[in-house]
Amino acid sequence: MSKQLLSGHVVEELTKEEQKAIGFNNFVHGIVRLKPEGWVYPGTAPTFLDRIYNMEFRPDDVLITTFPKSGTSWMQEIIWTMVHNPKLDNPKAQESLWLRSPDFRCVGTGKGFGDSEKMPSDFLKYIVPYIIVLPSLSSLDIMFDLKTLGGKAPESYQKKFREQCPGKNEKEGVTLHLADAEPSPRILKSHYPFTLMPKDVLDRVKVVYVARNPKDMAISLFNNFKMFKVFEFESEKEEYFKDIMNNKMTLGSYCPYWPHVKEAWGKRHHPNLLFLFYEDMKADIMKELGRINEFLGTGLSQESLENVARHTSFSAMKSRGEPITDPVFDKKDDNEVRFFRKGTTGDWKNHFSPEMQKEFDQWIKENLAGSDLSLSWALAE
C-alpha cells in the first residue's frame, strides 16, 4: 500500500528482491522509493519527511544543502567559523563538527523553533532576512536505521542527547531533538532536494547550495562508504559508478543526482539562494568567502576572512581529526581511507578507466541537454 506525502510524492516500499538488486539491504526498516523523481531512502524516511515539509525555522538559522560529498563539511565549517568563530577563539570549535553543526536530515516543529531571543544582539544587524543553508535533508536519524548500528545513534550522539535533551524520547529523532536544543544561531545541514522541502523555503530563509564535478563526487562517495565499517559495502568502483548513473545508488540514499542539482540551479536567481561550485572554492577561496560574506551579511573584515580561510583549509581541518570518533567508525589501521581524504579537484582522472570516462561524460551530456547549466570543465576531452 503506497503512501502520499505532503510534498505530493508517493512512497513505495522496495521488496527484498528489489533491495538485493540495488545491492543494499542493510536497513532495519528496508528501503523506499519516492515518485515521481525516484528518490531512494531508508524505510524510516516517511516518518520525518512530512515534518520537514511543515518545518519551522528560527530567524537566525543557517542551513547548508548539497548532494553528498560535494563540499558539505567544508561549507559547514566555513559558515560555522564565519558566524561563531571569526577570531578563532571559540572553545566550542574543539567539538566535533557533526555535533556542533547538526545534520538537519530530520526536522520537526515545536517549542524552540522560531525562538530568536537567544540570538546575539550584534548578530541581528547582519542577518536580514533569514538564514538557512541546505545540503540535503535526509536525516541522520534515517541513516541510524542501519542494522550494523542496531537501529540506534552512535554513542557520541547519544551522550550529547542525554546531556542536552533530558526527558526527550530518542525514538522521536535524536538529531531532531539535538537540533531543537542547539543554541542560536544554528548552522544546519541537509542533503534533501528542494522538492522535499517546504515550497516557500526560499521566501523564508537564505540557502547556500554547493555543487561539485559529479566525477569527483562519485570517487569521494565511493571512498566514503568504504571508510565507514557500519556500511556493508562490497561494490567495486566501476560497478558503483554505473549504479550512480542508473539511479541505483542506495548507500547514500540520495539518488537520483541530476534532479537534485538541476532543481537548485533553476532557483539560483532567487535572492535567498547562493549557488556555489566546489571547484570555484578550490580555485579562489577568498573570492568565494567574499560572496558568502556578502550573501549572509556577516560583515567580516578581510583579516577575519583570511582567518576563516586558514582555519577551514583542507590541511587544517584534517589536522584537527575526524568529524566523528565513535568506535563503530574506526578502521583497522591508519593506512585505510579516512573522512578527510584529499580535498582536491580532478582526482577522478586517477580512478576512471577510459571506458568509464566515456560513459560518465555521455551521462553528463545527456542530463545537461537543454539546460543552461554547463559542466564542460567536468568532461574528459
Side-chain angles (χ1 to χ4, degrees):
M1 187 75 177
S2 60
K3 172 185 177 182
Q4 186 166 8
L5 302 177
L6 293 178
S7 63
H9 291 78
V10 174
V11 181
E12 292 186 354
E13 295 183 10
L14 272 64
T15 65
K16 291 184 178 180
E17 291 72 22
E18 289 173 318
Q19 293 180 46
K20 185 176 181 180
I22 60 178
F24 196 70
N25 60 355
N26 197 30
F27 289 108
V28 175
H29 294 89
I31 298 172
V32 296
R33 178 178 285 113
L34 309 184
K35 292 186 175 182
E37 292 90 352
W39 309 105
V40 179
Y41 293 110
T44 52
T47 302
F48 304 105
L49 289 172
D50 281 346
R51 297 184 188 180
I52 290 171
Y53 197 76
N54 279 332
M55 67 184 176
E56 300 174 5
F57 302 109
R58 301 176 192 169
D60 60 341
D61 281 340
V62 178
L63 180 60
I64 302 163
T65 300
T66 68
F67 193 86
K69 308 309 295 182
S70 297
T72 318
S73 295
W74 189 16
M75 184 57 68
Q76 279 180 273
E77 190 69 276
I78 284 173
I79 295 183
W80 194 92
T81 304
M82 291 176 71
V83 172
H84 291 289
N85 194 29
K87 295 182 180 180
L88 307 184
D89 58 357
N90 188 336
K92 193 174 180 180
Q94 302 302 315
E95 185 179 25
S96 164
L97 172 63
W98 289 4
L99 291 176
R100 59 184 152 87
S101 178
D103 190 323
F104 220 54
R105 302 182 202 196
C106 101
V107 185
T109 61
K111 294 180 180 179
F113 288 81
D115 176 8
S116 62
E117 294 180 1
K118 298 178 182 179
M119 183 167 49
S121 59
D122 62 342
F123 195 70
L124 276 169
K125 63 184 180 182
Y126 297 132
I127 306 303
V128 180
Y130 305 134
I131 298 180
I132 282 193
V133 188
L134 290 143
S136 82
L137 289 166
S138 67
S139 166
L140 274 182
D141 282 307
I142 292 173
M143 297 306 292
F144 293 159
D145 190 53
L146 283 162
K147 294 177 182 178
T148 47
L149 287 176
K152 295 183 178 181
E155 177 55 31
S156 63
Y157 285 89
Q158 292 190 44
K159 180 176 183 293
K160 188 168 184 178
F161 178 81
R162 290 191 295 269
E163 294 172 350
Q164 294 196 357
C165 308
K168 299 294 184 180
N169 185 353
E170 66 177 82
K171 292 182 180 181
E172 295 174 353
V174 170
T175 59
L176 184 158
H177 284 304
L178 284 176
D180 198 13
E182 191 71 13
S184 296
R186 301 177 302 180
I187 311 303
L188 308 169
K189 77 137 184 184
S190 176
H191 291 309
Y192 281 130
F194 275 103
T195 189
L196 292 178
M197 290 187 280
K199 289 184 178 180
D200 62 347
V201 63
L202 285 175
D203 296 325
R204 291 193 274 156
V205 301
K206 287 193 175 182
V207 176
V208 175
Y209 187 96
V210 185
R212 186 183 189 184
N213 183 334
K215 292 179 181 177
D216 282 330
M217 174 278 294
I219 292 295
S220 186
L221 200 55
F222 175 83
N223 283 289
N224 183 71
F225 293 121
K226 281 288 189 182
M227 171 190 67
F228 289 134
K229 70 180 183 182
V230 293
F231 293 109
E232 297 177 349
F233 183 61
E234 303 297 335
S235 179
E236 298 299 323
K237 282 182 184 177
E238 298 217 347
E239 177 187 359
Y240 189 65
F241 300 155
K242 289 179 183 292
D243 285 346
I244 292 176
M245 289 188 288
N246 293 323
N247 299 329
K248 291 172 59 179
M249 188 274 290
T250 308
L251 273 176
S253 306
Y254 309 104
C255 272
Y257 172 80
W258 288 110
H260 198 295
V261 176
K262 289 165 70 175
E263 183 179 18
W265 177 255
K267 299 178 183 295
R268 71 192 182 283
H269 296 306
H270 195 289
N272 282 349
L273 175 64
L274 179 63
F275 191 107
L276 300 174
F277 286 103
Y278 179 92
E279 287 70 23
D280 290 339
M281 294 168 62
K282 295 297 294 186
D284 191 343
I285 187 58
M286 290 305 299
K287 178 181 178 181
E288 300 307 296
L289 287 180
R291 293 182 64 195
I292 298 169
N293 191 34
E294 180 179 359
F295 178 70
L296 298 183
T298 38
L300 299 186
S301 65
Q302 182 69 15
E303 180 182 2
S304 293
L305 291 178
E306 290 172 355
N307 285 340
V308 172
R310 287 192 297 271
H311 186 72
T312 62
S313 68
F314 179 80
S315 59
M317 290 181 67
K318 186 172 183 176
S319 70
R320 293 194 290 272
E322 298 293 287
I324 191 167
T325 56
D326 294 82
V328 293
F329 296 104
D330 283 351
K331 302 302 290 186
K332 294 179 181 179
D333 60 66
D334 291 336
N335 294 321
E336 295 188 9
V337 173
R338 296 286 170 169
F339 185 83
F340 295 115
R341 195 175 61 91
K342 289 187 176 181
T344 60
T345 59
D347 187 46
W348 63 268
K349 297 175 184 177
N350 300 317
H351 299 272
F352 277 57
S353 67
E355 293 77 15
M356 182 52 61
Q357 288 183 21
K358 185 176 180 180
E359 286 188 45
F360 231 78
D361 284 351
Q362 184 61 32
W363 178 65
I364 292 173
K365 291 176 182 178
E366 289 177 356
N367 281 280
L368 292 181
S371 169
D372 58 358
L373 172 60
S374 174
L375 296 182
S376 58
W377 43 267
L379 304 178
E381 59 266 22

